[in-house]
Amino acid sequence: MKKRWGILAASCMATLCIGSIYAWSAFSSPMAEYLSECTGREITSLAVIYSVANAIAPVTLISGGYFNDKIGTKGVLIAGAFVFGLGTITSGFATSVGMLMVTYGLGLGLGQGLVYGVAVTNTVKFFPDKSGFAGGLVTACYGASSIIVPPMASMLTQVYHVTTAFKVIGGIMLVMLLIAAFIIKPCPKDFTLDAAAQSVGGGKKQGADGYESQAAETVLVHSFTPAEMLRQLAFYLMLLIMMCGAFSGMMVISQASQIAQEMMGMTAASAALIVSLIAVFNMLGRLASGTLSDKIGAIGTLSITFAASIAAGVLMFAFAAGSVAVFCVCLMIIGFGFGSVMGIYPGFTIRKFGPKHNGVNYGIMYIGFSLASILGPTIMTKLHESTGQYQPAFLAAAALVLAGEVLLLILSAVNKKRSA
């Protein structure tokens, strides 16, 4: 019971490290300039590298959950530490887009999946009484990296070179991840909290999401195997809801600096502050919404944040270009909404499909995020190229989140029908 808090802290340190993948915008422009010099041809965008890094993560999220049962938590974390850390370091030696695709896109993507899967799903199992809080805190640290790492990367790039920034930050991340790997312990099978079960009378208690309350459900709800989960309508609804909810955030995060400079005429320095502002609210969304979902349920919490994100998307389309205040507030809401989805889903998945196979189950569920990481930046880029503006992409994002709201209503009806 006491050790679980130390494991939570070590897991936070691990996700803080792999969250440096969100610092890509700090590397992107100087790396594009450097590769242009190396190749002799102009490279204007490296957004595809970031998309690949996020899209490939489910491969190791799923396989990592499987290998966790075979070689243990420590083995998976050590493997992830080396893949992620060395991927970052060797990115500093890249001289072409193809090489950077392998070192950063594949290296960080695969390493991220190994570490994230174990750090998040294993930690949530230790907190059946506070799964939303635990999942929110661990993923909040993942988001916090986008606040901490970009200034480090910018400073190293200005003083030395972008290639040096990759090497130094990669070395730091490798050491920190290895330390976390030796602290984090696997959650014992059938781990329960007797006190939590007793607090709900040891019996089934209807919760805010239409199934047993969180504390009781860890003891009483059937743990679905991946094959069983894939036969549930609720799984497909949840995956699509995750994609809809993460779309806006992935769209904005991938090009936040460029959006601020073009829509509002901001300088690069001012745009960097906007990137940090989004990162702060991304982190707050993960922690606040994860905790709130313990109180009112995941569906209710997502519905609230989705409504706010829809409003922000519409305002960005209609009014943001004429007001810095509206622009900033809308981006804060979008960042918060994106963080909410990522903070809620670890606990949401374990409550819905049980803890036993959560390592693999959450990895499969994470495909929803990967779809958003591909579609978000791609659709924004295409709409910007065809219209010459960023505003239409925000209207498209609002429409997709609205579809997510409809899917939440359907999921709520499915849950109620199952519990009837």
Side-chain angles (χ1 to χ4, degrees):
M1 287 295 293
K2 293 180 179 179
K3 288 181 179 179
R4 67 176 183 160
W5 294 100
I7 292 169
L8 174 62
S11 297
C12 287
M13 182 169 72
T15 55
L16 182 69
C17 291
I18 60 171
S20 61
I21 199 168
Y22 278 141
W24 173 245
S25 59
F27 294 107
S28 181
S29 295
M31 198 62 184
E33 293 177 9
Y34 172 68
L35 293 180
S36 295
E37 295 173 3
C38 291
T39 60
R41 59 186 181 85
E42 186 179 8
I43 298 171
T44 58
S45 175
L46 292 173
V48 66
I49 305 292
Y50 180 74
S51 293
V52 168
N54 283 290
I56 201 71
V59 173
T60 42
L61 264 170
I62 297 169
S63 60
Y66 171 79
F67 285 113
N68 183 53
D69 296 333
K70 302 298 181 182
I71 65 175
T73 297
K74 185 183 294 184
V76 174
L77 286 172
I78 290 174
F82 277 108
V83 174
F84 189 91
L86 293 178
T88 308
I89 293 170
T90 53
S91 293
F93 294 95
T95 55
S96 68
V97 175
M99 185 176 177
L100 189 63
M101 180 73 75
V102 173
T103 58
Y104 194 96
L106 296 181
L108 271 71
L110 295 174
Q112 173 194 213
L114 287 169
V115 176
Y116 189 92
V118 173
V120 176
T121 61
N122 181 66
T123 303
V124 170
K125 289 179 183 179
F126 276 104
F127 291 85
D129 53 331
K130 301 172 183 172
S131 65
F133 163 77
L137 181 60
V138 175
T139 58
C141 290
Y142 181 76
S145 190
S146 58
I147 304 169
I148 298 169
V149 178
M152 292 174 54
S154 297
M155 181 191 69
L156 288 167
T157 298
Q158 292 170 9
V159 176
Y160 301 102
H161 194 268
V162 64
T163 55
T164 303
F166 275 122
K167 296 168 189 175
V168 172
I169 291 174
I172 293 171
M173 297 308 172
L174 176 58
V175 172
M176 290 178 65
L177 284 168
L178 288 174
I179 292 172
F182 283 92
I183 296 174
I184 297 172
K185 306 296 181 186
C187 183
K189 291 182 179 180
D190 303 320
F191 176 80
T192 61
L193 297 178
D194 291 338
Q198 290 171 6
S199 70
V200 292
K204 293 187 178 183
K205 180 180 178 181
Q206 198 68 23
D209 290 324
Y211 43 85
E212 292 86 0
S213 70
Q214 181 178 318
E217 137 177 300
T218 304
V219 180
L220 298 167
V221 161
H222 167 67
S223 284
F224 290 77
T225 65
E228 289 174 332
M229 183 182 74
L230 290 171
R231 291 196 292 268
Q232 302 298 311
L233 173 60
F235 161 74
Y236 296 97
L237 291 171
M238 288 173 65
L239 186 146
L240 290 173
I241 290 166
M242 188 181 202
M243 182 195 72
C244 293
F247 180 90
S248 299
M250 292 306 297
M251 182 183 77
V252 169
I253 290 170
S254 68
Q255 302 178 52
S257 179
Q258 296 94 312
I259 293 169
Q261 291 180 60
E262 183 172 320
M263 283 186 65
M264 307 307 299
M266 293 184 176
T267 63
S270 297
L273 293 176
I274 294 296
V275 174
S276 296
L277 189 68
I278 295 170
V280 168
F281 278 83
N282 173 14
M283 179 187 69
L284 293 175
R286 292 168 188 257
L287 182 57
S289 296
T291 303
L292 181 62
S293 70
D294 288 336
K295 307 296 183 182
I296 68 170
I299 292 176
T301 308
L302 286 169
S303 183
I304 294 169
T305 58
F306 277 19
S309 294
I310 293 167
V314 172
L315 286 172
M316 284 290 284
F317 172 75
F319 304 111
S323 170
V324 173
V326 172
F327 178 81
C328 291
V329 170
C330 288
L331 289 185
M332 286 188 290
I333 293 172
I334 290 172
F336 189 94
F338 170 67
S340 297
V341 173
M342 304 314 295
I344 287 170
Y345 257 80
F348 193 16
T349 305
I350 201 171
R351 276 181 267 169
K352 186 66 181 172
F353 299 110
K356 186 174 181 180
H357 306 284
N358 192 50
V360 177
N361 287 348
Y362 184 66
I364 298 172
M365 186 69 71
Y366 202 78
I367 292 172
F369 168 77
S370 294
L371 291 173
S373 73
I374 297 171
L375 294 174
T378 300
I379 290 176
M380 170 163 270
T381 300
K382 294 295 183 182
L383 288 174
H384 181 258
E385 289 175 351
S386 62
T387 65
Q389 297 179 321
Y390 281 113
Q391 287 91 325
F394 287 99
L395 189 62
L400 198 60
V401 181
L402 179 60
E405 281 278 30
V406 174
L407 291 172
L408 281 170
L409 292 174
I410 297 172
L411 178 61
S412 181
V414 169
N415 286 339
K416 288 177 181 177
K417 182 179 180 180
R418 184 176 73 85
S419 62

